[in-house]
Amino acid sequence: GAVVSQHPSWVICKSGTSVKIECRSLDFQATTMFWYRQFPKQSLMLMATSNEGSKATYEQGVEKDKFLINHASLTLSTLTVTSAHPEDSSFYICSASDTGRLGEKLFFGSGTQLSVL
Amino acid sequence: GENVEQHPSTLSVQEGDSAVIKCTYSDSASNYFPWYKQELGKRPQLIIDIRSNVGEKKDQRIAVTLNKTAKHFSLHITETQPEDSAVYFCAASTTGNQFYFGTGTSLTVIP
């Protein structure tokens, strides 16, 4: 299967700082990437859909000024949590859709555990 | 939009028994149905998938069935092992650009 790399895997930051999370498709081009938030023992909550070269589409209730998404290339999307606060602490996962050779399969990054103090 | 429901939310089985997880979807245009296994703190891993032109697919101890008319699909795990313990998610997709996930099933295999 395809490989999606996500960094960092764990970050601890002070309240008010910004944190950037990177998501890369290593062996395929991903025109679409997705960002999720996951609370312990709960399902994946889609935050936004990121399309290369255009603005991300945010789900209802997700603050776009709070969670900045940039998809500058076919292999890289970034999520920046701006002015993070303790309530932003969560597990963030990206995924990328390989609509080419693998026919629309979805592959996930390894996730980023964000802890805001 | 699509609505995917998944049952049960928790499932405990004895080692060696079978486990079945069921999902329903609402959008008849959905044509791709993957299943993911997620171990604690790790990424969801694609374990099996099925397309709408197929009714059943099997890969060793794992199988998925799809009933397009009833809009439901199921994951079957036979001869369960402790390492099968994880959270399983179903999903439905129409274009490959949007995936709708079920709420997950926490499977515990009791040795």
Side-chain angles (χ1 to χ4, degrees):
Chain A
V3 178
V4 176
S5 174
Q6 184 174 344
H7 295 282
S9 58
W10 190 16
V11 58
I12 301 173
C13 68
K14 291 183 178 180
S15 184
T17 60
S18 295
V19 176
K20 179 186 280 189
I21 303 170
E22 291 190 350
C23 181
R24 294 179 184 273
S25 56
L26 296 186
D27 53 356
F28 67 99
Q29 293 184 330
T31 53
T32 305
M33 289 187 174
F34 306 89
W35 288 95
Y36 306 84
R37 186 171 180 177
Q38 187 176 36
F39 293 102
K41 298 185 179 180
Q42 294 191 23
S43 187
L44 301 158
M45 185 188 80
L46 180 64
M47 298 175 65
T49 301
S50 164
N51 291 295
E52 185 267 336
S54 62
K55 290 183 179 180
T57 302
Y58 289 82
E59 295 298 303
Q60 191 173 10
V62 178
E63 299 177 59
K64 59 181 181 181
D65 294 332
K66 173 77 171 176
F67 300 98
L68 299 178
I69 292 173
N70 183 281
H71 193 157
S73 76
L74 286 171
T75 59
L76 174 64
S77 177
T78 61
L79 167 68
T80 301
V81 183
T82 62
S83 187
H85 290 284
E87 58 264 30
D88 298 324
S89 298
S90 188
F91 192 57
Y92 294 86
I93 304 182
C94 69
S95 67
S97 175
D98 182 355
T99 56
R101 59 190 171 94
L102 295 178
E104 78 191 334
K105 291 182 186 290
L106 188 68
F107 297 92
F108 287 85
S110 53
T112 298
Q113 182 65 51
L114 172 62
S115 299
V116 185
L117 304 177
Chain B
E2 174 66 280
N3 180 44
V4 178
E5 294 189 356
Q6 183 172 347
H7 299 280
S9 57
T10 59
L11 178 61
S12 292
V13 298
Q14 291 288 337
E15 182 177 359
D17 288 349
S18 295
V20 180
I21 303 170
K22 298 181 179 181
C23 287
T24 61
Y25 61 100
S26 61
D27 189 350
S28 57
S30 291
N31 56 13
Y32 175 62
F33 308 92
W35 284 89
Y36 293 88
K37 174 184 179 182
Q38 186 180 27
E39 297 176 14
L40 189 64
K42 296 186 177 181
R43 77 182 82 195
Q45 295 273 14
L46 178 67
I47 56 172
I48 196 167
D49 55 11
I50 192 167
R51 299 188 184 279
S52 59
N53 58 348
V54 176
E56 184 175 357
K57 184 176 178 181
K58 189 174 182 180
D59 182 4
Q60 299 183 338
R61 297 187 296 109
I62 297 174
V64 56
T65 58
L66 171 65
N67 183 326
K68 283 187 62 180
T69 303
K71 296 197 192 73
H72 67 70
F73 55 112
S74 301
L75 177 71
H76 304 254
I77 306 174
T78 59
E79 301 172 30
T80 54
Q81 301 167 4
E83 50 266 37
D84 294 329
S85 296
V87 178
Y88 292 81
F89 294 99
C90 64
S93 174
T94 304
T95 64
N97 290 323
Q98 282 193 324
F99 289 79
Y100 298 89
F101 286 87
T103 49
T105 297
S106 178
L107 173 65
T108 301
V109 179
I110 303 167

